[in-house]
Amino acid sequence: MNALILAGSTGDEKLPEKALIKIKDRYMISYVIDALRDSGKIDKIAVVGDKEKLQCIDGIDILIDQGNSIIENVVKGIEPFKNDRRVLILTCDIPMLTKEAVIDFVEQSEALNADLCYPIVKREDNERKFPDAKRTYAKIKEGTFTGGNIFYINPQIVDACIEAAKQFIAFRKKPWKLGQLLGLKILILFAFGRVTISQLERKVSELFNINAKAVISKYPEIGNDVDKDEDVEMANKYIA
């Protein structure tokens, strides 16, 4: 299968041009590329971002100039792989990603035969491996989880999901609006930590008109992204 790395920058981030941040004297995106290559699961790697600035990065097969938003970058980046059965989409800011994490996520996703797979990591697994990591967690019936920064996706669903995805992104910091999308029942169950993974899968599948599945990953490297200066410090600490 092929992979798309999102390395675009709007300039509004706390750490702009994250792909080119140096960690242990290497560009952050290079660690992500290496994990994909070393997994043996990936054929071609496309990167969407600032073409001029990313010319210096080794290991990129297709370099695509960025658009003005995450959604636009996904649409532009997925174009070379539009006829693929499935594509891996991930962000450039998970430098602690390992080949083992990629292999595990891809193999679990392949077994599910879903349109979209998204990794979730148990809090205890994340805190055991990265005790000083600051992550956002959600409590559900099966435990307390944080999300990952990688997607296993059927390229054929992208165009049909654009509008719903725009709503999710627009409402991500407006809980009352997001609640309207998810529905009262899900919100109540969520509030009491009683919502199940299968209920969330069904709701997302319904909203996007796809078959969506969550994948429990035992590799917290898949979700520890670098968003702040202290995250850069943590990556320098844990990367060998």
Side-chain angles (χ1 to χ4, degrees):
M1 68 185 303
N2 299 308
L4 167 64
I5 301 175
L6 302 176
S9 177
T10 63
D12 296 329
E13 302 93 342
K14 291 181 180 179
L15 292 175
E17 305 294 348
K18 288 198 284 186
L20 299 176
I21 288 174
K22 287 286 190 75
I23 296 174
K24 295 270 178 89
D25 296 322
R26 295 189 68 208
Y27 294 117
M28 177 151 59
I29 192 173
S30 296
Y31 291 99
V32 180
I33 291 171
D34 285 353
L36 293 174
R37 292 289 184 208
D38 293 346
S39 73
K41 294 289 185 179
I42 302 301
D43 297 317
K44 292 182 179 179
I45 296 176
V47 175
V48 58
D50 188 317
K51 284 185 72 172
E52 185 176 344
K53 293 180 179 178
L54 291 169
Q55 292 285 349
C56 62
I57 304 298
D58 293 329
I60 300 174
D61 298 299
I62 304 170
L63 190 52
I64 301 159
D65 211 14
Q66 65 187 4
N68 297 315
S69 67
I70 295 175
I71 297 295
E72 188 177 346
N73 286 345
V74 170
V75 172
K76 293 181 72 171
I78 208 78
E79 189 61 34
F81 308 137
K82 206 63 180 290
N83 295 320
D84 288 11
R85 180 180 170 273
R86 296 292 185 271
V87 173
L88 212 60
I89 299 179
L90 61 166
T91 58
C92 69
D93 59 353
I94 44 175
M96 292 178 286
L97 185 69
T98 63
K99 65 178 182 180
E100 291 82 8
V102 174
I103 292 168
D104 177 72
F105 177 65
V106 169
E107 291 183 348
Q108 285 200 67
S109 298
E110 286 174 337
L112 294 172
N113 195 33
D115 293 311
L116 171 68
C117 294
Y118 177 69
I120 56 176
V121 179
K122 290 182 178 180
R123 181 170 190 161
E124 53 265 37
D125 288 338
N126 194 63
E127 292 182 342
R128 185 183 306 114
K129 188 71 178 283
F130 304 114
D132 43 358
K134 294 179 174 62
R135 298 288 298 167
T136 299
Y137 295 96
K139 186 178 186 302
I140 59 177
K141 192 170 183 179
E142 291 89 344
T144 302
F145 294 86
T146 187
N149 286 52
I150 185 169
F151 299 84
Y152 175 93
I153 190 167
N154 173 4
Q156 304 301 318
I157 72 169
V158 171
D159 289 342
C161 292
I162 288 174
E163 292 308 315
K166 285 180 179 177
Q167 280 190 307
F168 261 88
I169 290 173
F171 294 165
R172 70 189 187 281
K173 294 184 180 179
K174 299 177 181 178
W176 63 95
K177 289 285 189 180
L178 196 56
Q180 292 176 3
L181 291 178
L182 295 175
L184 183 61
K185 178 182 177 180
I186 293 292
L187 283 182
I188 291 174
L189 289 171
F190 221 127
F192 289 95
R194 303 302 297 169
V195 69
T196 66
I197 290 174
S198 61
Q199 285 173 319
L200 291 171
E201 288 173 337
R202 284 196 297 271
K203 191 61 182 179
V204 172
S205 297
E206 175 190 317
L207 287 170
F208 288 92
N209 195 28
I210 60 173
N211 178 21
K213 294 291 183 181
V215 170
I216 298 177
S217 173
K218 61 182 179 181
Y219 296 95
E221 300 92 339
I222 212 164
N224 275 277
D225 51 347
V226 174
D227 283 329
K228 306 175 291 297
D229 289 331
E230 51 263 45
D231 297 332
V232 176
E233 293 175 11
M234 189 181 83
N236 272 293
K237 174 182 176 180
Y238 286 105
I239 290 176

